Amino acid sequence: MSTATSVRRTQRRTGPREEADVFAALAEFIRELIVAGTREGLAAARARGRIGGRPTVVTPELLRAARDLLPNPEHSITSIARLLGVSPGTLYNHIPDLRELRASRPYAGKG
């Protein structure tokens, strides 16, 4: 028996399952590299004073204007939000006591 024949006989055959395992391990390794690189990049950006995420549209002046308009029963929350250029959800998110302000404060406007 030749050496080539014995090598072929002892050589392990790989099937589809083993190949899938190799590709899965490779994909997991690549994913870990990407996650590590992303974390390093975000840490470096933070060190330079950069903060990720969408910039906020809410300013103290906008909140003050919304709080001034809330007690007026003539304005709905939707109309106040539209007037200020934000969504009603933005008002609810940034003014936690919005419902209480709406109900409890008497309106001292026209009357």
Side-chain angles (χ1 to χ4, degrees), residues 8-58:
R8 260 188 253 126
R9 284 186 183 164
T10 58
Q11 197 174 35
R12 184 173 169 215
R13 302 266 180 198
T14 58
R17 180 170 291 167
E18 289 82 11
E19 288 176 10
D21 289 343
V22 170
F23 285 125
L26 184 60
E28 186 177 348
F29 176 71
I30 291 171
R31 180 186 180 281
E32 289 173 7
L33 288 177
I34 292 170
V35 168
T38 301
R39 286 194 180 131
E40 289 173 9
L42 289 172
R46 242 181 258 112
R48 291 190 311 267
R50 298 284 191 160
I51 299 174
R54 185 175 177 158
T56 183
V57 296
V58 178

Side-chain angles (χ1 to χ4, degrees), residues 1-11:
M1 180 166 16
S2 73
T3 309
T5 307
S6 64
V7 169
R8 260 188 253 126
R9 284 186 183 164
T10 58
Q11 197 174 35

Side-chain angles (χ1 to χ4, degrees), residues 70-81:
L70 280 170
N72 184 347
E74 296 174 8
H75 296 293
S76 67
I77 293 171
T78 304
S79 67
I80 293 171

